[in-house]
Amino acid sequence: MDLEWVRRTIESAVGRHCPRWLVAHREDLVQTAMARILDRARPGGGDAEMNATYLWKTAHSVVLDELRRKRWEAERPLGSERPAETQARGADPEREAAAREIGRHVTDCLKTLVQPRRRAVTLHLVGYAPAEAGALLAWSAKRVSNLVHRGLADLRECLGAKGVGP
Amino acid sequence: VTELRSRWREAVRGAAPAAGCPESERFWDAACGSLTAREVCELADHAAQCPACADAWALARELREGSGAAVPRMRGRSARWLWVPGLVAATLLVLLVARRETVEPGLQVTASLIRFVPGGTEERMPEPVSLVVGDRVGLAVEADAPAYVYVVSIDSAGHGALLFPLPGLESTNPLPAARRHLLPGRREGRPMAWPVETASGREELLVVAAYEPWAAMEQLAAAAGRDALALALPDDLGVHLRGIGDATPDPSVPAPPRIAGPTLPPAGAWVRRVEIRTAP
């Protein structure tokens, strides 16, 4: 297993996943994640493919834990301060608040979609292309595209009604 | 849309899971294509209302993609065979259809048997449906997307007949979405119904709805006479009709055609069985 490849991939994923206010901690996060991954996923012989699979699965778990931990640290209430460097280098409270508000509205509006559209739109938001989502849901890519198209139209309408627009 | 997705993803990053959330490993499994379509649907339903899990899933997808692994392939469907008491030998059609019954989460369909009561009213029949000779029935069906709908009657001996679609009926496939359709519908402006003509005991109606045409049934329907209310299915599918409908052969069509090509309903078809008991 090429650990440098793992590291680069994790850096890339963390880069895309790291909240804006956590940018300053990105490198720390990658380091911590790599240390924990290596600790938990010791490739001690056996099937190389299985080891690689386990390592990536571990990477997912560890990076997720670290992101959540960092967020929890940053958001913990009274008596605990957000790390100074976070505030100095990445934070934009107004933008964070706006993003949270949009996230809440999107979640509320997703609930109003009919089930197939909600599922297709959720996978779309998660990042799946129609062909990938179709493979997971056992639907055709065309069907997923149609559902996403209609679902996003419903979503836009719902968000518009809540005063959220482009 | 890109901006919306970007903002939403920004909002959910690092969100904390709540009690009752699936293990984060489930999202890794989903990203690897290790879950069934039904399991993926359950996760999608949860992720739609849980930012933390949506985030976990997005991260899993990105890492999976970054790992260089192949895009998940369509998984085999976990077919569940239906047991139709007394029909084992003659229900090839049922089995072929039933294999598809379990999994497709896509098309949302409601279907219920309707009895036409003299005087022009409709009575929705609870299941198992009990009918007597002389009753006239129809099927109310509604789908959330344009759907090719097929109605097949199967008697207690496993003999089947196609009740819908048939030539001459004003309702034709695909039936428009989000609208209640009463089948068989009208013919030359007159409302039609399927008559119960014999008391055959136990029967079933198979209702199949799909995004794509069921080629075998379309072939059969095309060969039926324009006045037929039912078309006996050919021998290789278990023929003959009793009970609901009228299987009197149309003289212009000496025998049902043999089906060329695949006989299975389209992949992902929605299938429903309606059990019926007929009495004199």
Side-chain angles (χ1 to χ4, degrees), chain B residues 54-70:
Chain B
D55 184 50
W57 200 345
L59 178 65
R61 196 201 73 82
E62 288 176 13
L63 283 173
R64 178 69 177 172
E65 188 178 63
S67 74

Side-chain angles (χ1 to χ4, degrees), chain B residues 194-249:
Chain B
W194 295 309
V196 178
E197 299 200 318
T198 59
S200 60
R202 187 177 181 280
E203 296 191 25
E204 283 186 336
L205 275 192
L206 277 183
V207 186
V208 178
Y211 292 105
E212 310 290 340
W214 184 355
M217 292 302 158
E218 294 291 345
Q219 282 183 46
L220 287 171
R226 290 188 61 83
D227 294 331
L229 267 181
L231 178 67
L233 297 182
D235 290 340
D236 51 357
L237 285 178
V239 206
H240 313 308
L241 173 69
R242 296 196 338 219
I244 295 176
D246 175 6
T248 306

Side-chain angles (χ1 to χ4, degrees), chain B residues 4-228:
Chain B
L4 174 70
R5 179 154 72 174
S6 158
R7 289 290 191 92
W8 180 76
R9 293 279 292 278
E10 190 175 328
V12 303
R13 283 170 188 162
C21 285
E23 294 289 328
S24 61
E25 285 186 356
R26 294 287 285 170
F27 297 103
W28 177 256
D29 292 340
C32 294
S34 306
L35 303 183
T36 64
R38 185 181 296 276
E39 290 169 328
V40 171
C41 286
E42 288 170 0
L43 283 189
D45 290 342
H46 178 82
Q49 49 191 303
C50 177
C53 289
D55 184 50
W57 200 345
L59 178 65
R61 196 201 73 82
E62 288 176 13
L63 283 173
R64 178 69 177 172
E65 188 178 63
S67 74
V71 171
R73 291 173 301 170
M74 182 83 78
R75 287 177 56 77
R77 295 176 173 159
S78 57
R80 168 169 62 87
W81 292 88
L82 289 173
W83 173 250
V84 185
L87 300 182
V88 176
T91 51
L92 173 61
L93 174 64
V94 175
L95 294 174
L96 291 175
V97 171
R99 292 182 67 177
R100 309 262 175 163
E101 182 178 11
T102 55
V103 288
E104 180 55 44
L107 194 58
Q108 303 289 307
V109 183
T110 58
S112 55
L113 200 72
I114 300 294
R115 187 170 75 94
F116 297 105
V117 180
T121 57
E122 300 171 6
E123 179 187 4
R124 187 177 181 277
M125 304 298 288
E127 294 183 46
V129 175
S130 295
L131 298 173
V132 297
V133 171
D135 278 344
R136 293 164 53 79
V137 296
L139 187 82
V141 61
E142 181 173 348
D144 71 336
Y148 289 82
V149 174
Y150 302 89
V151 184
V152 174
S153 159
I154 296 177
D155 72 10
S156 56
H159 301 147
L162 178 65
L163 304 182
F164 184 86
L166 288 172
L169 294 173
E170 292 177 6
S171 296
T172 57
N173 280 327
L175 299 178
R179 190 186 308 167
R180 180 179 184 264
H181 300 275
L182 194 53
L183 304 180
R186 292 175 174 269
R187 176 174 274 158
E188 296 176 347
R190 289 187 303 120
M192 306 297 288
W194 295 309
V196 178
E197 299 200 318
T198 59
S200 60
R202 187 177 181 280
E203 296 191 25
E204 283 186 336
L205 275 192
L206 277 183
V207 186
V208 178
Y211 292 105
E212 310 290 340
W214 184 355
M217 292 302 158
E218 294 291 345
Q219 282 183 46
L220 287 171
R226 290 188 61 83
D227 294 331

